[in-house]
């Protein structure tokens, strides 16, 4: 499937059983529900999918299950989050065999590369696969900045086509546009600057809280794209307390707990993470329940 790089691509959760084994069937159900609620693509095995808590064979199991569940209805993009080029290229090639439509490529994990090392990492993975690639810039989480200069060094790498921008400074969208023009499709990647990203040139949104409120997420982007800025702003302001969770270190636990409150998934997470407890858990539950009780009026969903 060719990817139309626009719309709402939730970073989907990986569902696990009480013994922390992978629950492929429930992961497939969660993904199917999101597609039926109108999302335009899915990101498997991103941060929210707990990529780095999974063994290689578990990643194969999860991605295979998601590709089967999606059945060509929307593009499937998989996270590539590895220590080095060899491991990242191995996963990229495996994902291509499984049937992923694209890759979301992160900087090397743990080691903080110099700009030329980052360019070499991205080029090395891109050379190993024919799949289109979205780079993932998230300096608060991964301590690495994909600078405009790095992107300029990658303009000739044909299968690097998009950038997920998760820096909290929305000026980044304009800086990248000024440096690279329309060479890379931009996606908003941090939930609580998503609308700002759309106004500054992002064509879509890779979202975490969409897992709990997919219809509202889809309508936010649709309203913006059709020029109904009042509706987009209404949804965004309603959503913002929850969207802030995406910028916290416990975002995975919070998003999975929000899924559970909304009857969409389980709060169980893989080590080293643990489910939220105490006051923090109560706070997130209260936020989700308030959002559910005050959700904006939407048009009827498109069922895939």
């Amino acid at each position: 499937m060719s990817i139309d790089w626009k719309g709402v691509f939730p970073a989907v959760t990986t569902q696990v059983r009480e013994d922390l084994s992978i629950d492929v069937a429930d992961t497939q159900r969660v993904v199917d529900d999101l597609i039926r609620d109108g999302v335009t693509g899915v990101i498997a095995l991103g941060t929210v999918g707990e990529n780095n808590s999974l063994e290689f064979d578990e990643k194969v199991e999860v991605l295979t299950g998601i590709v089967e569940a999606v059945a060509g209805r929307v593009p499937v993009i998989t996270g590539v989050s590895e220590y080095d080029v060899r491991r990242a290229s191995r996963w990229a090639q495996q994902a291509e065999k499984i049937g992923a439509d694209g890759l979301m490529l992160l900087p090397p994990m743990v080691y903080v590369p110099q700009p030329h090392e980052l360019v070499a990492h991205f080029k090395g993975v891109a050379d190993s696969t024919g799949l289109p690639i979205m780079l993932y810039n998230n300096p608060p989480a991964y301590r690495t900045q994909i600078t405009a200069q790095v992107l300029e060094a990658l303009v000739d790498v044909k299968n690097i086509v998009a950038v997920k921008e998760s820096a909290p400074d929305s000026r980044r969208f304009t800086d990248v546009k000024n440096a690279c023009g329309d060479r890379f499709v931009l996606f908003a990647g941090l939930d609580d600057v998503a609308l700002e990203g759309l106004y500054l040139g992002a064509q879509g949104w890779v979202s975490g809280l969409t897992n709990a409120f997919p219809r509202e997420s889809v309508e936010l982007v649709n309203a913006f794209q059709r020029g109904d800025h009042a509706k987009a702003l209404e949804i965004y302001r309603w959503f913002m307390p929850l969207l802030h969770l995406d910028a916290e270190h416990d975002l995975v636990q919070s998003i999975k707990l929000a899924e559970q409150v909304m009857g969409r998934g389980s709060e169980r997470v893989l080590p080293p993470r643990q489910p939220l407890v105490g006051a923090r858990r109560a706070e997130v539950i209260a936020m989700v329940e308030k959002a559910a009780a005050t959700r904006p009026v939407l048009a009827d969903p498109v069922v895939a």
Side-chain angles (χ1 to χ4, degrees), residues 14-203:
T14 300
Q15 297 296 304
V16 297
R17 303 183 182 92
E18 290 186 13
D19 65 359
L20 300 186
S21 61
I22 305 303
D23 192 332
V24 174
D26 211 36
T27 301
Q28 291 178 315
R29 179 191 60 78
V30 164
V31 170
D32 182 67
D33 286 346
L34 289 167
I35 295 171
R36 291 177 181 276
D37 280 321
V39 304
T40 45
V42 296
I43 308 287
L45 300 170
T47 304
V48 176
E50 300 174 83
N51 187 310
N52 293 108
S53 294
L54 294 167
E55 300 283 356
F56 186 87
D57 60 343
E58 291 175 322
K59 295 181 189 184
V60 170
E61 186 180 15
V62 171
L63 183 58
T64 300
I66 289 175
V67 168
E68 289 176 352
V70 171
R73 290 175 290 171
V74 299
V76 177
I77 298 170
T78 182
V80 182
S81 177
E82 304 292 343
Y83 293 120
D84 57 24
V85 169
R86 291 180 303 165
R87 290 174 175 85
S89 296
R90 181 190 179 205
W91 176 245
Q93 292 164 355
Q94 183 65 50
E96 191 167 2
K97 291 177 184 176
I98 290 169
D101 300 297
L103 308 173
M104 183 178 73
L105 177 57
L106 281 74
M109 294 293 99
V110 181
Y111 176 67
V112 179
Q114 295 296 316
H116 70 282
E117 294 171 318
L118 187 56
V119 170
H121 182 80
F122 291 153
K123 283 186 174 180
V125 178
D127 286 345
S128 75
T129 177
L131 292 177
I133 295 171
M134 169 191 284
L135 302 181
Y136 180 8
N137 186 52
N138 189 338
Y142 301 116
R143 301 176 297 151
T144 299
Q145 177 80 271
I146 303 176
T147 64
Q149 290 71 34
V150 167
L151 292 175
E152 287 175 323
L154 298 169
V155 294
D156 293 330
V157 183
K158 292 183 179 180
N159 60 329
I160 297 180
V161 299
V163 177
K164 173 189 174 185
E165 185 51 65
S166 294
D169 185 348
S170 60
R171 292 175 295 182
R172 273 276 301 179
F173 291 97
T174 302
D175 289 340
V176 172
K177 280 284 186 182
N178 285 344
C180 303
D182 294 328
R183 169 60 183 83
F184 302 104
V185 179
L186 297 180
F187 267 64
L190 190 63
D191 282 0
D192 58 0
V193 288
L195 187 55
E196 291 87 341
L198 293 171
Y199 273 107
L200 294 172
Q203 297 300 302

Side-chain angles (χ1 to χ4, degrees), residues 199-262:
Y199 273 107
L200 294 172
Q203 297 300 302
W205 178 20
V206 175
S207 172
L209 271 303
T210 295
N211 287 287
F213 291 96
R215 289 187 59 209
E216 289 79 4
S217 301
V218 170
E219 178 58 13
L220 191 159
V221 173
N222 286 347
F224 172 83
Q225 290 176 340
R226 68 175 180 262
D228 188 351
H229 301 293
K231 191 64 177 181
L233 190 57
E234 175 197 352
I235 296 170
Y236 196 49
R237 287 174 171 164
W238 160 83
F239 217 168
M240 185 57 73
L242 286 179
L243 298 183
H244 285 318
L245 296 174
D246 190 58
E248 302 291 342
H249 288 297
D250 59 5
L251 77 157
V252 176
Q253 297 96 312
S254 297
I255 290 167
K256 293 187 94 171
L257 178 56
E259 273 190 311
Q260 179 168 291
V261 173
M262 296 306 298

